[in-house]
Structure formats: structure tokens, C-alpha cells
Amino acid sequence: MLAEILVALLVTVFSIQEGSHAPIVRHRPDSLEANVVAVVNSVRSDPASFIPAVDRYERHVRSFTKDPTALRRAVLEVRTVLKKLKPLPPLIISDALQAAADLHALDIETYGTMGHIGHDGSDPSTRIAKFGRFTSYGENVTYGHMTAELIVASFLVDEGTPDRGHRKSLLAPNYTAIGVGIGSHVTYSRACVIVVGEP
């Protein structure tokens, strides 16, 4: 069963990355994953242009959020950040980060896990280390959002994370690489994993 899901989710062309003992699954992102990468890079290249999307996200989430005050505060905060932020270089899809994102998205889909810890106890560092070496990285996971715009906006507004770690990772100037994995979730319909990093 797990093998069938993996085949359906990934394009199975394997190679060994130099310095790594684990096979990398070369995966061409599907259309939603490619759209997520495009939206992230659009935000990085022209941060202020994403402010209307942040406003749309607030209108969407306001009807079901448990803390509308925290949502409003985070929206105002990210609007200011995006207005002031200088353009950043685009992120390039990395086979290693794509494989790490896909692996966690598959775990979420198969076992209904939540957060950054896999059903086997794996965390972002152990997943990434299977496929490559990165000096720094960040993993973002969100649930329930059905479009690339809502997915990226949820990470940038980041109202549920006090240190705004998801926002910081997508807007980190030192990060150059990205991988996006999307799968289903038993409770929230969809889960998206974005892994960004610096080799």
C-alpha cells in the first residue's frame, strides 16, 4: 500500500547525490506544488505586491479562526513587513529538499500526522539529511488551504506561530533552495510541506 502511494505521488527516477548514501527521488512538482513555488518567488521578487493576497487570506480565515485578534495583529504586522522588504532572490527547486518535503507529505497523508514530527519520530533535520546537506533550513507545514495563494499567505501571516518562524523562513535572504510536497490529510483534506534551505 505504501509503495503504491509513493509511486502515485512521485516520479520515480532515482540517483545518488554526491556525499549522500540515500537515493533522491527526482520529482517534477505537480501543478499545485509548482504554483506554490511560483507564488513564493513572486513574493520574494515583489513583496508589496502580495499585500492584497494577505487581505484575501484574512477575509477567508476570519470566519473560522479561534483568535480573530491574533489574526488581525499578524495581518497588520506582515503588511508592514512586505511594504518595507527589499526584493530577494528566487528559490530554486532542490531535488534533496523536494524529496524531504515529499517524504513528510506522504507521512502526513498515510498516517494523519500533524506538525514536524513524522510517525517514525523523524524530524526535518533527519529527513533532509537522508537526501543532502544544508547549512541551514526551515520546514513549514500547513493544513486545509486549497490554493497556492492561501498556502503561502498562511505561512506569511503566521498568526498561530508567536515567533513567525514560517514567515521568516520563506523570506530568509540566505535561503536559495526549495521543495514543496502536497498530500491529503484525513481531517483537513490537504496538507502542504515547504522545505527551504541554504546548501
Side-chain angles (χ1 to χ4, degrees):
M1 174 80 175
L2 184 58
E4 291 170 340
I5 294 170
L6 187 60
V7 169
L9 185 64
L10 306 174
V11 176
T12 54
V13 180
F14 295 94
S15 69
I16 301 294
Q17 179 169 326
E18 186 176 329
S20 171
H21 300 291
I24 291 182
V25 179
R26 295 217 183 263
H27 168 242
R28 184 177 55 233
D30 71 17
S31 60
L32 181 56
E33 292 167 346
N35 285 342
V36 169
V37 173
V39 172
V40 169
N41 282 330
S42 175
V43 173
R44 288 175 65 92
S45 68
D46 186 3
S49 72
F50 198 68
I51 291 172
V54 167
D55 294 337
R56 287 189 292 274
Y57 171 82
E58 181 182 22
R59 286 192 298 274
H60 172 72
V61 173
R62 190 172 34 217
S63 65
F64 58 83
T65 184
K66 294 177 183 172
D67 191 345
T69 303
L71 173 65
R72 186 65 187 147
R73 185 170 45 249
V75 165
L76 293 173
E77 182 184 289
V78 75
R79 286 173 59 90
T80 300
V81 168
L82 294 173
K83 283 179 188 175
K84 293 181 178 179
L85 188 66
K86 302 277 190 246
L88 299 165
L91 301 174
I92 306 302
I93 295 173
S94 153
D95 290 329
L97 296 185
Q98 185 65 51
D102 283 333
L103 185 62
H104 195 44
L106 180 61
D107 190 83
I108 290 168
E109 183 170 305
T110 305
Y111 298 98
T113 53
M114 298 284 295
H116 298 284
I117 305 301
H119 83 282
D120 58 356
S122 63
D123 62 21
S125 65
T126 57
R127 287 189 291 272
I128 292 167
K130 288 181 180 182
F131 304 107
R133 292 192 179 99
F134 287 79
T135 57
S136 61
Y137 59 84
E139 180 185 79
N140 301 339
V141 184
T142 192
Y143 304 87
H145 300 297
M146 304 307 278
T147 67
E149 179 182 281
L150 286 172
I151 288 167
V152 174
S154 73
F155 290 131
L156 293 176
V157 174
D158 213 9
E159 71 273 15
T161 308
D163 71 353
R164 310 296 191 233
H166 301 110
R167 178 193 305 163
K168 290 175 184 175
S169 70
L170 291 188
L171 300 179
N174 57 309
Y175 288 164
T176 58
I178 188 170
V180 178
I182 293 178
S184 63
H185 188 270
V186 66
T187 304
Y188 298 105
S189 297
R190 175 171 287 159
C192 177
V193 180
I194 299 179
V195 185
V196 289
E198 176 184 17

